[in-house]
Amino acid sequence: MVVRVRKRNTLSLSLAIAADSEEILNTGLDMETLSICVRLCEQGINPEALSSVIKELRKATEALKVRQFMKNMQSFCCCCCCF
Amino acid sequence: MAAQPPRWSPLEQEQDRDVRALIRRLTGLREAQGGEVPGGRFQTALIFAWSNFRFHRFLDVSSHKVERTIEGIYEKLIVHSDLSKAASWKRLIEKFLNSPLPSTEETKTDAHYAILSLLLCLSDSPSNTNYVEKPRDKEVEKEEEFDWGKYLREGEEIDFGPDIDTPDWSEESEEEEDAQQPLSREDSGIQVDRTPQEEQDHNKKTVSQVTWKVGEPDARSWLEQHVVPQYWTGRALRFSHSLHLHSNLAAVWDQHLYSSDPLYMPEERTLVTETQVIRETLWLLSGVKKLFIFQLNEGKVTVRNDIIVTHLTQNCLRSVLEQIAAYGQVVFRLQKFIDEVMGHSSESVIPGTISTPKKTTEPPFRTYQAFMWALYKYFISFKEELTEIEKCIINKDKTVTLSIVVDKLSPRLAQLKVLHKVFSTGVAEVPQVPPDTRNVVRASHLLNTLYKAILEYDNVGEASEQTVSLLFSLWVETVRPYLQTVDEWIVHGNLFDPAKEFIIQRNKNVPVNHRDFWYATYTLYSVSEKMENEEKMSDNASASSGSDQAPSSRQHTMVSFLKPVLKQIIMAGKSMQLLKNLQSKDDYPRQAASRDAERKSLYTLFLESVQSRLRHGEESVPDIITEQQATKQSLIKMQSIAERHLELDDVHDPLLAINFARLYLEQSDFHETFTGGDVCVDRSSESVTCQTFELTLRSCLYPHIDKQYLECCGNLMQTLKKDYRLVEYLQAMRNFFLLEAGDTMYDFYTSIFDKIREKETWQNVSFLNVQLQEAVGQRYPEDSSRLSISFESVDIAKKKLPVHTLDGLTLSYKVPWPVDIVISLECQKIYNQVFLLLLQIKWAKYSLDVLRFDELVNATEKPQLKEGPQLEQETVPQFGSQTEFIKQQIHRMFLLRVKLMHFVNSLHNYIMTRILHSTGLEFQHQVEEAKDLDQLIKIHYRYLSTIHDRCLLREKVSFVKEAIMKVLNLVLMFADRWQAGLGAWRMESIEKMESDFKNCHMFLVTVINKAVCRGSFPHLESLAVSLMAGMEQS
């Protein structure tokens, strides 16, 4: 039990510190994502590769969202026209 | 790849899980349930991610590279003046690298660097974010919120009784990190250090903590009951304690009173423990104002009446506490002074000194600030000691009782007493003075008080070593502004004293390049303590001497420690200012700047000397922090200090702060003095105290001032002599006024004498000037433009005597600045008096010299020839006797002439050689050796007054001069008659002249002989001898 608690503490501590540094660096990662990243790094994933993936995925999501939005707008306009 | 192949290891499976989770978090896409849809967005993303992870071209993480980048960011933040951010960045990184990761126990592993590298790759302009570091503990607490609750309740009934024994985790967490301290401490029953005025926010905190932690509604009351008994609320519990007789003395005594005194009424009292009393005592001494046991009413600290401890009677406790309260009051008073000088206090003014409300607006002058700073430093160390004791109490390691505390603090309390004494005489009881000199009086009064106190205690010897060293350190701090002012003045010639606290002040209306500069520029304020008022000793006093003129009854009339060197300071200051002005046209500033960079200030020199003196005998001399050692780190430290100070004034400007820090760092001693460290005098460790304080000063302070004095006065003399030809001007004065340039002046005065002889008008100014220019221009062309002569007609009554014909002739020499400081107009007046006397003598001599024997003989023959035929018949019988008579007359005139010549020549020789020449030689000698301008001026004055005296021009010996004038007059009349011819002569007039001359001669010889016999005027001897010689012959 004690060990578990302790482990939990250290985890939270290192994470919290990482989160703080992350806040300074303005990386835009939330706590959950950060903890996943930490785990991945620990498992030996190359951090630069990881960062490039994160960036790419962010970009793609952004683009996807824009496309979605445009589509919605179009259909909205179409509806307006129909009326 | 999309599917999860069965051959994957558990690690890879975990990785895959994490990657999927990551994609879900980042994209918000959902994994298709049930089956894989190849080409679905999630799958595409997953494939993309995996392919990137597996087939990338990046190098492995290099810890050096990461550290370099981190350092880069740190520097970037520093450059952007985000110092707090920079500091927390550094700290966070440090902390992160040193804390284990979830699955790695070690620190500073590759994983750490990998995570950092990831963050760095993702970072986006760190300098643009507004980051404020949050206290870590909160997060940790949140983390624990559910965890602890669950854990604590696990398998047991909720019972937060007072006996709850915190299990091992409390120690565990406590040793692990500080962040948890507040929580664990309260749980483990250790009292939290809390002063009553902090109570409120503590309560807030407590409430929130309790609700998180326990979730019970009456948690607060639980805390109140079990953590700190709130004795200050008045509803303290009568807690139980030992029933031993010793610990119930108060009750026993009460019982006794109750039984013995029928009128005794037990009062309602608040029971406190001794620990509480001790802690309140410590708080009181550290300057806390709101206390329970001690109360502050209008600046007076009183002890609460209804306090009782179980093991002491009330009176006993009270008497102890009242002693402490007295010291508490001292602390308050000093603290108040500190606050006021710092400008923190909203209340007005310094106790005692205050009469006008205006004072609150003007900032305290630097001496007070320095004194305040010294006090402040003392209090810092005092508070450290108090905190030490309080820690002792908190830790409960040792027995701490009230008497132990008082005993332990007794040296400090004695020091406080001394401080208070000094403060109340030095600051509070300042004599009332007119407003414009208030600061001078106050500053010098304070310094004097400290100085006198040191001397007083110093005399006691070893018994008061501690006190002396305390006072000495105070004094050293307080004297700093004064020494800086002195330094600035004697090194740069600039008396910078905006608050007018220095004893010498510049009179604004006199420009430097004015002849009055030397005399009238500075005012020395001398504060007489006995009379309790100040008097101005103006100009001359300050110029000539500060110390000689003060009567002995006003011993401490000015800042006493400067008294022995006051003259040097004044001389050096004035010389420096003059010198600076003289050299300002040259390349002086550049030289000065380069020299100034290497120069140590007077104060630093003084400190160093004191340090080396105090450590005399000890071998190890601690390194003095030099500028080279002022690294970036200390810059940051300094910056934070500066920032803190700025924040007191509501200024939040990191750039300003960092610049301040840089500025302060330049002064090598700043770090030591400003951070409150004990620098200048190592109070604790001095093996040699400042025995004989005055000796210390003499060996540590005065030599530096003396050195500077010699240097700049020497420079000034050098400059004046070399660049401004002072010596040449002095020579010129002697040449023309004292007729040392004999041939030149001979040409000048003989032309005048000739005119007078021929009875022509000579008083014409243009004629005089032309003659002068002609005479001087030939041999001294450069002086001819400066010399001019004028004639003022004097009253006619005097003019009757021919000797006074020349009166009113005034020679003037235009002396350029700055030499006119030495050769002033007053000096020229004296020169002129001597000049006139010399002219008179020369005239007499000249008119006797030009007489010719044949003139007289011719004159006698002519009337004989003319009158001969008529007289022949009548006076034939008498003719022989007539001729005899005339011959006799002529002979007598010859004799008289020679006597007169002898007299005049004796006088002339005496004055020209015995007086002017020899005194002049002495003077030249002294001028060469003069150390400062003041001395030079004095030498010149002395020289002038000497020749003035010896030329018998003094009022006191005017009768001698009159006799001489009479003789000279006689000479002139004689010469006049001689030229007029024998016809103008009567036997009686010759006889009268002879007898007049004889009388005067006789008189002079007697008087001068008397003076010579007395030995008071050795120089007169030659004159006396030569005149005597004349006498005997007659």
Side-chain angles (χ1 to χ4, degrees), chain B residues 224-281:
Chain B
E224 280 173 359
Q225 282 169 26
H226 293 93
V227 180
V228 178
Q230 289 180 307
Y231 59 90
W232 57 89
T233 54
R235 46 192 174 89
L237 304 169
R238 298 237 163 205
F239 45 84
S240 61
H241 52 275
S242 161
L243 291 175
H244 193 275
L245 185 66
H246 290 166
S247 55
N248 283 303
L249 185 63
V252 173
W253 179 247
D254 224 27
Q255 193 66 40
H256 167 72
L257 285 180
Y258 190 65
S259 59
S260 61
D261 186 359
L263 297 175
Y264 179 70
M265 269 281 287
E267 296 155 23
E268 186 61 35
R269 284 176 188 146
T270 315
L271 194 61
V272 292
T273 64
E274 185 161 346
T275 316
Q276 285 159 355
V277 175
I278 294 170
R279 296 183 71 192
E280 290 235 343
T281 304

Side-chain angles (χ1 to χ4, degrees), chain B residues 575-838:
Chain B
S575 304
M576 203 61 217
Q577 189 166 10
L578 189 62
L579 194 60
K580 217 177 86 184
N581 219 277
L582 293 178
Q583 294 180 336
S584 59
K585 302 139 205 166
D586 314 339
D587 54 348
Y588 180 71
R590 257 186 295 125
Q591 283 176 15
S594 63
R595 251 185 297 137
D596 210 40
E598 301 148 20
R599 190 185 68 92
K600 281 179 177 167
S601 75
L602 177 64
Y603 187 70
T604 325
L605 285 173
F606 172 56
L607 282 190
E608 276 171 13
S609 310
V610 169
Q611 270 172 333
S612 64
R613 187 182 157 85
L614 292 188
R615 295 216 178 87
H616 184 69
E618 281 177 41
E619 275 155 47
S620 62
V621 178
D623 297 331
I624 296 159
I625 297 183
T626 55
E627 281 174 56
Q628 286 84 2
Q629 284 168 292
T631 52
K632 211 197 273 177
Q633 214 154 26
S634 65
L635 182 68
I636 297 230
K637 194 171 167 192
M638 204 70 61
Q639 187 265 347
S640 65
I641 296 167
E643 198 162 37
R644 217 163 53 222
H645 280 263
L646 280 176
E647 270 167 21
L648 296 177
D649 301 332
D650 274 346
V651 181
H652 300 277
D653 189 347
L655 253 181
L656 192 62
I658 205 164
N659 277 321
F660 264 127
R662 284 236 168 80
L663 189 71
Y664 292 139
L665 263 184
E666 279 162 19
Q667 305 178 338
S668 59
D669 63 335
F670 167 80
H671 181 78
E672 302 151 323
T673 46
F674 207 69
T675 46
D678 210 5
V679 241
C680 38
V681 195
D682 196 359
R683 251 189 260 136
S684 53
S685 76
E686 81 247 75
S687 53
V688 190
T689 52
C690 30
Q691 301 153 343
T692 49
F693 177 56
E694 276 173 323
L695 261 178
T696 309
L697 280 183
R698 199 157 296 154
S699 66
C700 299
L701 178 62
Y702 301 159
H704 300 303
I705 293 177
D706 260 343
K707 198 175 139 233
Q708 182 61 31
Y709 155 75
L710 285 180
E711 190 180 316
C712 62
C713 288
N715 270 346
L716 179 67
M717 293 312 295
Q718 202 61 32
T719 314
L720 282 180
K721 281 179 192 164
K722 217 167 114 195
D723 301 346
Y724 292 87
R725 301 169 52 226
L726 176 74
V727 180
E728 279 88 339
Y729 283 113
L730 287 173
Q731 184 58 49
M733 295 306 281
R734 299 219 310 274
N735 278 347
F736 304 119
F737 285 86
L738 306 186
L739 312 183
E740 274 190 15
D743 42 0
T744 310
M745 294 314 278
Y746 182 82
D747 291 351
F748 168 63
Y749 58 69
T750 44
S751 58
I752 299 176
F753 297 157
D754 285 339
K755 279 249 173 191
I756 299 174
R757 200 156 57 105
E758 282 150 26
K759 305 264 182 316
E760 286 172 35
T761 51
W762 55 275
Q763 288 95 333
N764 187 352
V765 179
S766 57
F767 163 73
L768 291 172
N769 273 314
V770 166
Q771 289 304 323
L772 184 68
Q773 297 300 335
E774 263 179 21
V776 174
Q778 286 172 10
R779 294 182 187 87
Y780 302 95
E782 73 273 23
D783 287 323
S784 65
S785 56
R786 298 212 180 85
L787 267 177
S788 65
I789 193 159
S790 62
F791 184 82
E792 295 160 26
S793 47
V794 242
D795 55 333
I796 310 149
K798 268 189 166 180
K799 277 261 164 123
K800 275 179 188 161
L801 296 173
V803 111
H804 291 296
T805 320
L806 290 171
D807 284 10
L809 263 187
T810 319
L811 196 61
S812 60
Y813 189 88
K814 264 186 240 131
V815 187
W817 183 86
V819 182
D820 63 351
I821 296 172
V822 180
I823 307 170
S824 60
L825 287 178
E826 292 75 32
C827 293
Q828 288 210 19
K829 262 178 208 157
I830 299 175
Y831 273 119
N832 254 315
Q833 285 183 21
V834 179
F835 173 65
L836 194 67
L837 178 76
L838 290 180

Side-chain angles (χ1 to χ4, degrees), chain A residues 1 6-7 11 16-17 20 24-27 30 36-37 39 42-43 46-48 50-51 53 55 61, chain B residues 15 18 25 27 52-53 56 59 61 92 101-104 114 119 121 123-124 126 129 136 151 172 176:
Chain A
M1 189 68 191
R6 188 175 180 164
K7 189 148 187 189
L11 170 66
I17 297 167
D20 262 357
I24 293 181
L25 290 172
N26 196 16
T27 57
D30 57 16
I36 295 168
C37 290
R39 273 205 300 280
E42 275 185 297
Q43 286 157 15
N46 186 296
E48 289 177 68
L50 183 55
S51 76
V53 166
K55 278 184 198 159
T61 315
Chain B
Q15 270 184 358
D18 283 336
R25 289 291 307 178
T27 58
N52 265 294
F53 291 157
H56 61 78
L59 295 174
V61 185
L92 283 171
L101 285 173
S103 58
T104 340
L119 292 179
C121 287
S123 77
D124 180 21
T129 50
R136 177 81 12 73
Y151 163 63
E172 193 72 37
E176 258 177 41

Side-chain angles (χ1 to χ4, degrees), chain B residues 797-1026:
Chain B
K798 268 189 166 180
K799 277 261 164 123
K800 275 179 188 161
L801 296 173
V803 111
H804 291 296
T805 320
L806 290 171
D807 284 10
L809 263 187
T810 319
L811 196 61
S812 60
Y813 189 88
K814 264 186 240 131
V815 187
W817 183 86
V819 182
D820 63 351
I821 296 172
V822 180
I823 307 170
S824 60
L825 287 178
E826 292 75 32
C827 293
Q828 288 210 19
K829 262 178 208 157
I830 299 175
Y831 273 119
N832 254 315
Q833 285 183 21
V834 179
F835 173 65
L836 194 67
L837 178 76
L838 290 180
L839 270 192
Q840 283 165 343
I841 294 171
K842 290 272 183 194
W843 186 25
K845 186 170 146 54
Y846 179 78
S847 36
L848 281 180
D849 283 350
V850 293
L851 295 183
R852 280 178 294 180
F853 289 107
D854 54 343
E855 270 179 16
L856 201 60
V857 176
N858 290 346
T860 44
E861 277 165 7
K862 262 185 228 159
Q864 257 181 311
L865 291 176
K866 259 194 246 160
E867 290 165 20
Q870 293 153 6
L871 291 169
E872 216 160 343
Q873 295 106 10
E874 297 155 84
T875 57
V876 166
Q878 293 129 8
F879 184 73
S881 63
Q882 179 80 16
T883 331
E884 275 303 302
F885 176 71
I886 288 172
K887 268 188 181 165
Q888 197 186 348
Q889 203 176 356
I890 289 171
H891 184 68
R892 278 178 84 165
M893 281 183 75
F894 285 173
L895 280 180
L896 183 59
R897 181 191 174 213
V898 173
K899 277 183 207 161
L900 288 173
M901 270 178 96
H902 174 75
F903 181 88
V904 171
N905 280 337
S906 303
L907 188 68
H908 179 258
N909 271 347
Y910 163 73
I911 288 184
M912 291 309 284
T913 59
R914 180 75 189 87
I915 303 298
L916 295 181
H917 186 67
S918 57
T919 320
L921 284 181
E922 272 171 38
F923 172 64
Q924 265 174 328
H925 224 69
Q926 285 169 335
V927 165
E928 270 163 34
E929 281 167 7
K931 268 189 288 184
D932 57 55
L933 187 54
D934 221 29
Q935 205 178 348
L936 186 72
I937 292 171
K938 251 194 226 166
I939 289 171
H940 187 228
Y941 262 122
R942 211 182 306 136
Y943 166 68
L944 281 182
S945 74
T946 309
I947 55 174
H948 188 253
D949 274 6
R950 294 189 179 173
C951 291
L952 307 167
L953 291 170
R954 217 154 35 127
E955 277 296 304
K956 220 174 162 187
V957 288
S958 58
F959 57 95
V960 180
K961 194 199 165 197
E962 253 165 50
I964 289 174
M965 283 296 136
K966 239 181 197 166
V967 176
L968 293 184
N969 207 30
L970 217 67
V971 169
L972 292 173
M973 273 158 54
F974 177 78
D976 203 35
R977 295 272 170 89
W978 183 295
Q979 275 162 358
L982 201 61
W985 291 91
R986 298 248 153 63
M987 199 55 197
E988 306 87 70
S989 66
I990 294 176
E991 273 169 1
K992 191 174 180 293
M993 267 188 193
E994 275 178 339
S995 73
D996 274 359
F997 174 66
K998 205 173 177 182
N999 285 340
C1000 286
H1001 198 173
M1002 194 73 136
F1003 170 76
L1004 281 171
V1005 167
T1006 325
V1007 168
I1008 291 172
N1009 256 338
K1010 236 185 223 167
V1012 170
C1013 286
R1014 248 186 300 153
S1016 42
F1017 302 103
H1019 55 272
L1020 277 175
E1021 207 165 333
S1022 61
L1023 181 63
V1025 169
S1026 58

Side-chain angles (χ1 to χ4, degrees), chain B residues 51 110 143 205 241 268 280 291 324 378 427 576 886 1034:
Chain B
S51 71
D110 280 349
E143 199 75 35
K205 223 179 190 172
H241 52 275
E268 186 61 35
E280 290 235 343
L291 291 171
I324 295 169
Y378 174 77
V427 177
M576 203 61 217
I886 288 172
S1034 70

Side-chain angles (χ1 to χ4, degrees), chain B residues 29-82:
Chain B
L29 295 174
R30 252 180 245 153
E31 213 172 333
Q33 294 289 323
E36 311 300 329
V37 184
R41 278 182 186 141
F42 188 87
Q43 282 304 323
T44 319
L46 191 61
I47 290 165
F48 171 75
W50 271 117
S51 71
N52 265 294
F53 291 157
R54 295 217 167 122
F55 313 109
H56 61 78
R57 282 173 299 146
F58 299 108
L59 295 174
D60 279 352
V61 185
S62 145
S63 57
H64 294 293
K65 201 178 148 198
V66 172
E67 265 171 7
R68 238 188 353 260
T69 321
I70 285 168
E71 196 56 37
I73 289 184
Y74 174 71
E75 247 159 49
K76 189 173 179 183
L77 290 172
I78 293 264
V79 170
H80 281 258
S81 281
D82 274 343

